Amino acid sequence: GAGVSQSPSNKVTEKGKDVELRCDPISGHTALYWYRQRLGQGLEFLIYFQGNSAPDKSGLPSDRFSAERTGESVSTLTIQRTQQEDSAVYLCASSPQLGGGYFGPGTRLTVL
Amino acid sequence: GESVGLHLPTLSVQEGDNSIINCAYSNSASDYFIWYKQESGKGPQFIIDIRSNMDKRQGQRVTVLLNKTVKHLSLQIAATQPGDSAVYFCAEIPTSGTYKYIFGTGTRLKVLA
């Protein structure tokens, strides 16, 4: 596709359930980022993938959060045993190695 | 440093006036900078970028200024319009090493009719 896509666009889940969020980056973009954005707030870095290098996981808030990316394609962000504090918009972005990053529309996660 | 969920400062500007949004960046090794615009309910949208070998770059109605001495970046919007109302984020990227984006906390721009 022409841009970064994310699915689902909205996800409502019950506390304690696991969720999986998907990001399809722009083809050819080597870098992929996940951010979390709580309502009315800034962007909170979660994880960064660059090509085949080891991902930078320094922003993951707890071991309930994990992410995978196969090569330079799709990435999934998994949140296990969701908590109400996990409610936020999860944004994915991709970029070429030396270029601007392009964001997807985000997945709005609501944990009841 | 990293944006960690702080509440956003707000800039209110009269329609037709010029807007200036400021950003202080943290990493002296950052040599590539981007301004993003985020409208309500949408992901951030790339507006304009600048590399560290420049101190000014102009786009359509927008200008980015870079002062490396004091690690300061600004976005100027000429003749601000209601459609400019959004949250604006700056991002700094070191283009050696990890290329990891670091976002500023963001500024909410409100355009008053």
Side-chain angles (χ1 to χ4, degrees):
Chain A
V4 178
S5 60
Q6 292 185 246
S7 60
S9 56
N10 280 283
K11 176 71 176 179
V12 180
T13 191
E14 293 179 347
K15 179 181 173 182
K17 295 285 180 69
D18 297 351
V19 295
E20 193 171 277
L21 312 180
R22 177 186 169 108
C23 173
D24 284 85
I26 294 172
S27 178
H29 281 191
T30 57
L32 187 147
Y33 310 78
W34 283 99
Y35 290 88
R36 179 168 69 180
Q37 187 175 36
R38 293 197 167 97
L39 185 62
Q41 297 188 12
L43 298 166
E44 180 184 0
F45 168 76
L46 297 177
I47 189 168
Y48 161 67
F49 296 91
Q50 174 62 272
N52 293 319
S53 302
D56 179 347
K57 303 180 181 180
S58 60
L60 295 178
S62 76
D63 59 7
R64 295 187 295 106
F65 288 73
S66 63
E68 292 184 352
R69 187 186 188 197
T70 304
E72 295 182 358
S73 62
V74 170
S75 176
T76 55
L77 176 69
T78 301
I79 309 173
Q80 296 177 308
R81 306 180 302 281
T82 51
Q83 305 293 313
Q84 289 183 331
E85 68 209 40
D86 299 333
S87 295
V89 175
Y90 289 82
L91 290 160
C92 173
S94 72
S95 74
Q97 191 171 34
L98 290 174
Y102 295 86
F103 280 84
T107 293
R108 182 175 299 278
L109 175 66
T110 304
V111 182
L112 302 177
Chain B
E2 299 282 357
S3 172
V4 289
L6 301 176
H7 289 282
L8 302 171
T10 299
L11 173 68
S12 296
V13 175
Q14 205 69 35
E15 182 179 355
D17 287 352
N18 297 333
S19 303
I20 300 176
I21 300 170
N22 296 304
C23 179
Y25 64 93
S26 59
N27 187 350
S28 297
S30 295
D31 49 6
Y32 178 52
F33 305 87
I34 303 174
W35 277 101
Y36 286 92
K37 173 186 180 182
Q38 186 177 28
E39 296 175 283
S40 181
K42 297 182 180 179
Q45 178 186 6
F46 179 103
I47 303 174
I48 190 168
D49 61 359
I50 189 168
R51 299 196 183 272
S52 61
N53 60 352
M54 304 172 69
D55 52 21
K56 180 179 180 179
R57 188 165 188 220
Q58 289 185 293
Q60 187 176 15
R61 281 202 308 119
V62 294
T63 300
V64 54
L65 299 177
L66 174 62
N67 185 329
K68 295 180 287 293
T69 302
V70 295
K71 293 191 288 187
H72 184 267
L73 195 67
S74 69
L75 177 70
Q76 300 179 358
I77 305 173
T80 312
Q81 301 170 359
D84 295 327
S85 292
V87 176
Y88 291 82
F89 294 96
C90 68
E92 56 176 300
I93 306 99
T95 57
S96 58
T98 65
Y99 305 90
K100 177 180 161 184
Y101 283 50
I102 301 171
F103 280 87
T105 53
T107 298
R108 185 179 304 280
L109 177 65
K110 286 188 177 179
V111 180
L112 308 173

